[in-house]
Amino acid sequence: MLKLKFINWWSNGKDDFFKKFIENYMNIETVVVDHEPDILFFSVFHKISPHQYVKNNPSVKLKIFFTGEDTTSSYSRGCGSDHYYLNFADISLGFKNLNHPNYIRFPLWLTYINIEKYNMGKPCLPFNKLENFAANRNNNEDFCCIVSNHDSNNTRTKIMEPLSQHKAIHVAGGIMRCFKDKNVSIIIKGAGKSEYDKQNYLKKFKFNICSESSISDGYVTEKLFECIIGGCIPIYYCNDNVMIEPEILNNDFIIKYNNNNIDSAVQKIKELDTNKEMYNKFIAKKPLNDNAYCEIIKYYDLLKTNLYYLFNTHSLIN
């Protein structure tokens, strides 16, 4: 049984994706411990120096770094970790496209979507709802929503004023403070605190502004996938001609906008909202590419292969 320890993490690790990955995808038993771990998982939420932790805990045989946060933005909780601990960790995992022997690209969204066969992600974000968008839509009849706590890098709110001139936009979360004393027509209604609450909220709307908090090459979190599983058409801030996870997502299903094309994006949204035939044709598209499942499995298999190698070379399994 592998003994795991999680530090600088967002949880204690006992229900974590990576614990489930080792158990459910690699069929190896694990336990989260407080003392004498075999494997140290660490992230960017700095409380403990991972170098000092390893120095003080000689039982650690394997060090795994993961970040789902943008390490390039000064507003991000990942700021200061852009080195990805590449010269310290045995495996580093993150969103960036890096060429390094210790690195595997493993963006955050991979830890959220839940392929039911393996049950490693979030139960409220089943993969089959990504595959069957039109069939899984419920009563998505209200216009548009945004669920967010902030807009530190100004990637979310710029589209709100012109879009809200068409219809009021439902707003949930701390981002509502951004619209105080501004000419934006909004309806403030909380979405709840859990991931299930967010999904129940999203399924009421045709569109969801689901942009990332910052723009960095390869930085994709769970937001796009939550939006699609919730039955919404995604409205997403990105640079011109950028393809978002092109092996997985049908980019024609994403309404993209940036500072240079807000007016045209708003016009497209308004047309879809008012033209039922056009709207029905749009939502009949598949949000995923045909080979999306296989591409996700490639991510999992690459991580599994590397972990098996390290487990063996560090005498962690027989």
Side-chain angles (χ1 to χ4, degrees), residues 3 47 54 78 135 137 143-144 148 170 183 239 265 268 278 305:
K3 294 183 289 183
K47 293 181 180 179
V54 170
R137 293 183 77 257
F143 173 49
C144 181
S148 185
H170 282 68
N183 183 30
N239 293 327
K268 182 174 183 179
M278 184 183 296
T305 298

Side-chain angles (χ1 to χ4, degrees), residues 2 13 33 65 98 119 121 126 129 155 203 208 223 225 230 234 300:
L2 296 179
V33 298
F65 171 74
L98 298 175
N119 190 29
K129 285 194 175 183
T155 58
K203 69 183 182 182
N208 171 225
K223 296 175 182 64
F225 296 86
Y300 291 165

Side-chain angles (χ1 to χ4, degrees), residues 223-239:
K223 296 175 182 64
L224 260 172
F225 296 86
E226 286 179 329
C227 167
I228 295 168
I229 289 172
C232 303
I233 296 172
I235 303 172
Y236 193 80
Y237 187 105
C238 60
N239 293 327

Side-chain angles (χ1 to χ4, degrees), residues 21-246:
F21 184 91
I22 296 171
E23 292 179 340
N24 299 357
Y25 203 72
M26 300 179 68
N27 296 313
I28 299 172
E29 290 186 16
T30 73
V31 62
V32 175
V33 298
D34 290 325
H35 306 289
E36 297 185 347
D38 302 313
I39 302 172
L40 176 67
F41 283 89
F42 64 104
S43 190
V44 298
F45 307 104
H46 296 289
K47 293 181 180 179
I48 303 168
S49 163
H51 300 82
Q52 192 63 44
Y53 184 89
V54 170
K55 184 177 179 179
N56 294 341
N57 292 269
S59 66
V60 174
K61 296 181 179 179
L62 191 63
K63 308 175 292 294
I64 300 174
F65 171 74
F66 172 75
T67 180
E69 301 290 325
D70 183 0
T71 56
T72 66
S73 169
S74 60
Y75 292 103
S76 171
R77 291 175 293 179
C79 182
S81 298
D82 201 45
H83 47 72
Y84 269 43
Y85 293 90
L86 291 171
N87 296 320
F88 173 71
D90 297 285
I91 294 182
S92 291
L93 305 166
F95 69 87
K96 293 171 72 173
N97 295 293
L98 298 175
N99 182 15
H100 191 282
N102 294 349
Y103 181 73
I104 298 173
R105 184 172 185 266
F106 207 88
L108 182 65
W109 63 265
L110 280 168
T111 70
Y112 272 71
I113 60 169
N114 191 46
I115 295 178
E116 295 87 339
K117 178 180 178 180
Y118 301 112
N119 190 29
M120 300 183 295
K122 307 289 185 181
C124 62
L125 300 174
F127 180 78
N128 67 47
K129 285 194 175 183
L130 285 171
E131 285 189 303
N132 301 288
F133 176 83
N136 284 295
R137 293 183 77 257
N138 296 287
N139 297 309
N140 301 63
E141 296 300 330
D142 288 339
F143 173 49
C144 181
C145 71
I146 184 169
V147 184
S148 185
N149 285 323
H150 66 89
D151 192 24
S152 298
N153 288 297
N154 205 20
T155 58
R156 297 164 175 157
T157 54
K158 281 194 174 182
I159 198 170
M160 296 280 285
E161 184 172 351
L163 193 59
S164 70
Q165 292 175 10
H166 170 63
K167 287 181 181 178
I169 298 170
H170 282 68
V171 175
I175 198 169
M176 67 182 67
R177 294 187 291 269
C178 295
F179 306 110
K180 186 178 181 181
D181 302 325
K182 289 189 177 181
N183 183 30
V184 180
S185 179
I186 62 173
I187 299 169
I188 296 173
K189 188 174 181 181
K193 295 184 178 180
S194 75
E195 287 140 352
Y196 283 99
D197 289 335
K198 183 174 182 180
Q199 283 299 299
N200 287 330
Y201 187 84
L202 290 174
K203 69 183 182 182
K204 303 171 186 175
F205 299 95
K206 291 181 178 179
F207 303 92
N208 171 225
I209 300 168
C210 56
S211 304
E212 307 298 351
S213 58
S214 57
I215 303 301
S216 186
D217 184 32
Y219 179 56
V220 183
T221 68
E222 77 284 358
K223 296 175 182 64
L224 260 172
F225 296 86
E226 286 179 329
C227 167
I228 295 168
I229 289 172
C232 303
I233 296 172
I235 303 172
Y236 193 80
Y237 187 105
C238 60
N239 293 327
D240 293 332
N241 301 319
V242 166
M243 297 297 287
I244 310 300
E245 302 294 3

